[in-house]
Amino acid sequence: MTLLHNPVIRGFAPDPSIVRVDDWYYVATSSFEWFPTIPIHRSRDLAHWEYAGHVRGAVPDDSLTGVPDSGGVWAPSLSWDGDRFWVVYSVVRSVGTPYFDLDTYVTTATDVAGKWSTPRRVASHGFDPALFHEDGRLWLLNLQNDHRPGGRRFAGIVLTELDRETLAPVGGTHLLLQQDRLIEGPKVLRRDGWYYLVLAEGGTGFEHGVLVARSRALTGPYELDSRPLLTSRDDPALPLQKAGHGELVQTPDGAWLLSHLTARPLRTPHGPRCTLGRETAIQRVVWDAEGWPRLAHGGWHPAVEVDVPTHSSDLQVVADPGELEWPWSSLREHPDPSWADITSRPGWIRLRGRHGPESRWAQSLLAQRITEHRAEAEVTVEARPRSFTQAAGLVLRYDSEAYLSLDLTWVEPEGEPQRGQQWRGGGGRTVLSLVERDEEGARQVAVVDVEAPVTLGVTIDGADARFWYVRNGVPTPIGPPLDFSRLSDDHGSRLRFTGAMAGIHARDLVDASFTADFQGFRLTCTP
């Protein structure tokens, strides 16, 4: 047996959908407003995972401009029909409203690294779609949403047969299951004459769980299990919280596994906060005498350490061409040489400033996932800002209302008020400006005069983020420790579904001509 340590894919890897093809396991996860869309990881032994590619072209025109924070690509479902990989997913354009305003798409490929077919829109009842393949037939599962006043946003699970070639509906839509408690994320498998409906239950926060129902017929009626397969909601002391959104897969030797999302909260005076977002975990599953799936270690709580069947752990890194691919991510679009240039100055990344850090349209930002509660990021930046509308630096980001940034920018001469004196010519200073942003707005925490180039850094220890810069060869703190836990799923009242990232950004709010060069970006995450 091999001992795996959960979570196996760490830091912002939610809603895992797992499939096995020969001796490889593949997991697709949600990407929301971030690119690359629908990252896919793979493993042979379930303990060691590598990035294997993503679903390029998943969204129309390769753009998510305008989608809100935590909108975009939700809950992809990955499947294999014996010949091709299939992915079905929803692009969600409204968050926190009765209307999800979404479109559901299907795309296929013979290899997860691509090339993926042009996505085709299918029946879009709600988010969290899945496909079920049986005897040459194709079925689409989905959540039903009732947006009407007094309606239930989670109004049951529906099933529609699709033509395998045209993806048009065949026959009517079947209502499989409704219940008072919120259910979503349906997946279907067949075993010993039963159809098992695996469901996400209770929302995606600390009440999350996995519930199972079954039927002798695919179209129902379905009988609910009397207990959850997985949840952590009844024990807030568990190290793995928010356990839910599961999918079952069988190993080559006949054993069963459950992939699911989970989170590792920080314990703060304000309550638990999950800065790393929701992550991917694996559990072993057995079947009881009555034919229901159960966790192999007993109960329904997620285990941190899990014994799984031993297989080769050989990995062969697969990545798309280009140096700005994984682990780099960008907001709402792929990095483009027009604003992210790696050729003009070899060994450096040149960003051309565009919109500000709260824009939904054209941010010049590259970031990487923070995967542990202890981390350090560092980068050298060289730039010559000539206006307060220009800035570039190091950023810790959750979304447009939750970020911390240390930026090289311009301010008025010392002692003068903020009145735009740069247009008179001369004067002004190049400074580092430390800013924190939460739902109450942005605040400048500290300012210090510097000369470019300058090396910037931040050290994260639990809920504390301490920014620094290198002066005379010595790391020098700037400002007080900041509350990193605000960059979490659980801070504030808005729905949040992603995770904290560390990266570089640049802005020029006037004519997008300002550029900044970055070298030696390093993100080190320590378990």
Side-chain angles (χ1 to χ4, degrees):
M1 302 292 280
T2 300
L3 185 67
L4 64 80
H5 296 264
N6 282 316
V8 291
I9 305 175
R10 304 168 83 85
F12 181 22
D15 309 320
S17 177
I18 192 169
V19 66
R20 179 180 61 83
V21 179
D22 298 324
D23 57 351
W24 282 103
Y25 297 90
Y26 298 90
V27 163
T29 54
S30 293
S31 49
F32 295 95
E33 70 265 39
W34 291 92
F35 279 68
T37 46
I38 313 179
I40 299 175
H41 287 73
R42 70 178 189 175
S43 174
R44 290 187 191 273
D45 66 355
L46 298 162
H48 304 90
W49 292 79
E50 67 180 355
Y51 174 73
H54 71 276
V55 181
R56 182 177 288 274
V59 299
D61 301 319
D62 249 356
S63 173
L64 287 170
T65 55
V67 303
D69 295 333
S70 291
V73 180
W74 285 24
S77 181
L78 181 65
S79 56
W80 170 258
D81 67 357
D83 179 53
R84 291 180 292 169
F85 290 97
W86 295 66
V87 174
V88 60
Y89 56 93
S90 293
V91 177
V92 177
R93 300 187 182 276
S94 297
V95 177
T97 75
Y99 299 87
F100 289 105
D101 297 318
L102 59 83
D103 298 288
T104 296
Y105 295 97
V106 171
T107 179
T108 66
T110 56
D111 190 305
V112 295
K115 179 179 181 179
W116 290 90
S117 65
T118 300
R120 289 183 284 174
R121 190 183 188 277
V122 296
S124 301
H125 296 277
F127 57 84
D128 286 10
L131 295 174
F132 177 61
H133 308 264
E134 184 180 47
D135 299 331
R137 299 172 73 179
L138 179 66
W139 300 82
L140 172 69
L141 293 114
N142 219 325
L143 163 74
Q144 178 176 249
N145 167 240
D146 187 345
H147 64 270
R148 297 171 297 178
R152 298 168 59 187
R153 298 188 75 199
F154 299 85
I157 304 301
V158 295
L159 177 76
T160 307
E161 186 175 5
L162 302 180
D163 182 279
R164 285 181 57 87
E165 299 304 319
T166 67
L167 300 184
V170 177
T173 292
H174 307 270
L175 179 61
L176 300 188
L177 184 67
Q178 288 180 313
Q179 71 154 4
D180 291 337
R181 190 171 180 86
L182 185 159
I183 51 174
E184 55 188 332
K187 305 289 193 300
V188 164
L189 65 95
R190 189 174 184 183
R191 179 183 181 272
D192 292 345
W194 287 100
Y195 291 93
Y196 289 88
L197 185 59
V198 181
L199 301 162
E201 181 194 22
T204 194
F206 290 97
E207 293 297 308
H208 209 18
V210 177
L211 188 62
V212 178
R214 68 181 182 183
S215 173
R216 290 293 187 184
L218 177 60
T219 55
Y222 280 82
E223 166 200 8
L224 280 167
D225 193 358
S226 61
R227 47 163 282 187
L229 171 58
L230 175 79
T231 189
S232 48
R233 59 176 169 254
D234 58 340
D235 189 349
L238 292 171
L240 300 180
Q241 291 290 320
K242 300 185 179 181
H245 199 101
E247 185 166 15
L248 290 165
V249 66
Q250 194 170 22
T251 70
D253 56 5
W256 286 85
L257 305 165
L258 176 75
S259 69
H260 66 93
L261 69 77
T262 192
R264 292 174 286 158
L266 291 170
R267 310 297 174 179
T268 79
H270 312 287
R273 290 182 173 175
C274 302
T275 55
L276 307 180
R278 296 165 300 149
E279 307 171 283
T280 294
I282 301 284
Q283 308 293 331
R284 282 186 60 216
V285 167
V286 295
W287 299 82
D288 70 12
E290 297 181 355
W292 291 104
R294 304 288 183 229
L295 297 183
H297 59 267
W300 49 74
H301 293 161
V304 174
E305 295 187 339
V306 178
D307 282 319
V308 291
T310 297
H311 297 284
S312 167
S313 62
D314 292 342
L315 297 177
Q316 302 168 359
V317 176
V318 176
D320 291 339
E323 297 179 32
L324 292 181
E325 294 291 342
W326 194 269
W328 287 113
S329 290
S330 55
L331 276 172
R332 297 179 174 87
E333 62 180 332
H334 283 294
D336 185 273
S338 67
W339 61 267
D341 176 8
I342 57 175
T343 60
S344 293
R345 190 177 182 185
W348 295 71
I349 299 173
R350 175 168 292 169
L351 296 184
R352 179 175 59 84
R354 298 185 296 165
H355 289 186
E358 298 171 27
S359 171
R360 296 180 181 179
W361 285 268
Q363 286 199 46
S364 298
L365 177 145
L366 297 171
Q368 298 181 11
R369 285 158 170 77
I370 298 172
T371 60
E372 303 294 344
H373 290 130
R374 296 175 60 204
E376 186 167 87
E378 179 181 3
V379 71
T380 297
V381 58
E382 183 170 9
R384 297 291 183 270
R386 303 300 182 192
S387 161
F388 63 87
T389 60
Q390 300 172 343
L394 179 66
V395 62
L396 300 180
R397 181 184 177 90
Y398 187 96
D399 62 17
S400 64
E401 290 188 0
Y403 60 84
L404 310 171
S405 65
L406 180 59
D407 294 326
L408 194 68
T409 188
W410 179 98
V411 297
E412 289 81 0
E414 190 168 3
E416 293 191 14
Q418 296 181 183
R419 292 181 179 171
Q421 291 91 330
Q422 76 275 19
W423 308 125
R424 300 175 184 169
R429 298 174 288 152
T430 300
V431 299
L432 287 176
S433 172
L434 179 62
V435 171
E436 62 177 350
R437 171 69 157 98
D438 60 20
E439 71 280 3
E440 296 179 357
R443 296 173 296 280
Q444 188 174 63
V445 178
V447 177
V448 61
D449 289 75
V450 293
E451 293 183 1
V454 60
T455 297
L456 314 178
V458 62
T459 302
I460 300 165
D461 188 358
D464 285 343
R466 299 171 183 264
F467 282 85
W468 45 270
Y469 69 106
V470 175
R471 182 174 63 184
N472 298 324
V474 178
T476 304
I478 178 170
L482 301 181
D483 184 2
F484 181 64
S485 76
R486 293 182 180 182
L487 278 61
S488 72
D489 297 351
D490 317 293
H491 177 71
S493 58
R494 289 192 304 108
L495 295 173
R496 289 178 168 181
F497 300 132
T498 57
M501 313 275 275
I504 56 177
H505 66 167
R507 66 178 179 268
D508 183 344
L509 307 180
V510 176
D511 59 12
S513 64
F514 167 73
T515 62
D517 291 354
F518 298 85
Q519 185 185 53
F521 180 85
R522 171 183 62 85
L523 174 61
T524 304
C525 300
T526 306

